[in-house]
Amino acid sequence: MSTPSEPRNHELPSTYIVQDRENQAELARLELQDHLLTTSMGGVLAEQEDPTKLRRVLDIGCGPGGWIIEAATAYPMVNFTGIDISKRMITYARQQAQDKQVAERVDFLVMDALLLLEFPNGYFDLTNLRLGGSLLRTWDWPKMLSEMLRVTRKGGVIRLTDQEIMHRSNSPATTRLNEKVLCAFYQAGHLFEQNSTGITARLPLLLQQYGCNNVQTKAHVLEYRAGTPEGQAYSEDMALASRTLMPFIRKWGCMSEDYEALYQQSLLERQKSDFYATWHFLTAWGSK
Ligand SMILES: C[S@@+](CC[C@H](N)C(=O)[O-])C[C@H]1O[C@@H](n2cnc3c(N)ncnc32)[C@H](O)[C@@H]1O
């Protein structure tokens, strides 16, 4: 049953790559992945000149809240707001903020970012969206960016980080599974071109097109090797993703009969002592 505090379209199909908003495995995967990404990117706002000058920061699609909680810990003068469509993510994020003793400067709200951002004009100094390509179809970006610009103050920052869909590795089965994800991303409308950089290549152009000034980028190459804690976490992230993305891959006609065999083979290949993978990301930001 819906309650009045839930978004109006709570029961509508989601544009997100994991349809079930209450999926516990997806929450666990995002938490694991958040640590992997933030650490390898050198911190939460590593490329920003002086984050201590920020007063209010918004994170859209904040998931279990890891990015915000780490940012709130690193920058004790800043107030943070995280929004996510999933009640489960937000409930978990609020609890994490309590546990890490940053709750008084952090607000987590259930909100559908595709409807509108329920904040006043010019309210935030920086508006962040990491992995937005997992919920935005190509035609959703204009509204998303114009809303991000609206809620950011003049001179404030719009910051986007996204992934190349294909990881480069010496595990053929991991690559084959990855190709199915790319296929589904494209068929579902999440890629501007049918290739690995179908989101990242557009980020700076999108920022320019929707009115950001001084657009800059920073590329990140995340490296994972067998026998390291990061390599193990990467492998677990891939294993969880291969499961939670199955309905999405099937829905968009990209499933194959050998999927289960590929999944099992990918687990074995990632445990080999010479396993390595790289995962490429781009952060693009500009000012309003
Ligand atoms: C790939 S996760 C990224 C989480 C986090 N930004 C990070 O980088 O670790 C995308 C998140 O967006 C949320 N989401 C999906 N559709 C949404 C929507 N329409 N409005 C707000 N959040 C949404 C999902 O529940 C999920 O937590």
Side-chain angles (χ1 to χ4, degrees):
M1 270 299 267
S2 288
T3 66
S5 62
E6 291 171 4
R8 270 172 313 215
N9 73 342
H10 194 73
E11 306 305 331
L12 290 177
S14 172
T15 60
Y16 185 48
I17 54 174
V18 178
Q19 190 65 212
D20 171 14
R21 290 173 191 163
E22 303 305 308
N23 190 308
Q24 176 58 35
E26 179 61 358
L27 188 152
R29 185 183 79 80
L30 289 180
E31 193 174 32
L32 178 80
Q33 184 175 271
D34 165 67
H35 295 307
L36 267 182
L37 303 192
T38 304
T39 309
S40 321
M41 290 177 186
V44 278
L45 291 166
E47 78 295 332
Q48 296 297 311
E49 249 167 44
D50 189 1
T52 62
K53 287 194 178 142
L54 302 169
R55 289 294 166 266
R56 294 196 197 110
V57 170
L58 172 66
D59 187 29
I60 298 169
C62 63
W67 186 88
I68 285 204
I69 290 166
E70 194 165 338
T73 309
Y75 303 110
M77 307 304 289
V78 189
N79 289 291
F80 292 87
T81 303
I83 64 165
D84 201 284
I85 202 165
S86 157
K87 277 206 296 182
R88 176 169 227 155
M89 300 284 180
I90 291 299
T91 304
Y92 183 85
R94 283 179 185 151
Q95 188 56 53
Q96 289 295 106
Q98 292 281 356
D99 295 351
K100 302 275 164 55
Q101 301 182 337
V102 292
E104 72 283 359
R105 283 182 299 110
V106 166
D107 229 358
F108 284 112
L109 305 168
V110 178
M111 200 179 288
D112 184 344
L114 288 175
L115 285 183
L116 87 165
L117 303 179
E118 294 177 43
F119 303 104
N121 297 346
Y123 192 68
F124 295 101
D125 301 305
L126 184 144
T127 306
N128 187 55
L129 174 63
R130 188 171 77 177
L131 295 173
S134 63
L135 58 117
L136 300 174
R137 285 87 43 94
T138 54
W139 53 93
D140 295 318
W141 281 93
K143 186 172 170 201
M144 183 80 263
L145 284 166
S146 70
E147 275 294 280
M148 288 176 80
L149 277 156
R150 182 184 65 75
V151 300
T152 303
R153 70 162 169 80
K154 198 167 184 314
V157 174
I158 315 291
R159 181 181 188 265
L160 308 171
T161 299
D162 230 297
Q163 59 173 328
E164 291 188 15
I165 307 295
M166 295 301 295
H167 305 193
R168 302 172 202 177
S169 85
N170 59 354
S171 160
T174 301
T175 303
R176 292 273 317 280
L177 291 171
N178 223 198
E179 283 163 1
K180 298 184 190 312
V181 175
L182 190 143
C183 167
F185 261 74
Y186 184 69
Q187 294 301 339
H190 293 255
L191 299 183
F192 289 91
E193 279 95 32
Q194 191 173 10
N195 61 44
S196 186
T197 58
I199 300 165
T200 48
R202 282 296 175 107
L203 297 182
L205 303 174
L206 284 164
L207 287 173
Q208 276 155 8
Q209 203 175 341
Y210 291 96
C212 282
N213 298 313
N214 192 22
V215 173
Q216 298 174 67
T217 59
K218 178 164 174 48
H220 308 271
V221 182
L222 282 45
E223 284 192 338
Y224 303 106
R225 294 193 176 275
T228 64
E230 294 76 21
Q232 188 55 34
Y234 172 83
S235 186
E236 280 170 35
D237 184 6
M238 292 306 105
L240 284 166
S242 300
R243 287 283 183 239
T244 56
L245 295 187
M246 275 175 73
F248 177 66
I249 291 168
R250 190 173 291 117
K251 175 175 174 181
W252 295 102
C254 303
M255 185 50 83
S256 63
E257 282 185 3
D258 63 351
Y259 191 90
E260 182 59 27
L262 281 175
Y263 171 76
Q264 296 298 339
Q265 183 63 23
S266 73
L267 298 180
L268 295 175
E269 289 173 1
R270 288 196 299 267
Q271 290 312 315
K272 288 187 178 169
S273 60
D274 66 344
F275 170 74
Y276 74 85
T278 58
W279 191 0
H280 295 238
F281 283 79
L282 188 78
T283 297
W285 69 100
S287 55
K288 174 171 167 182

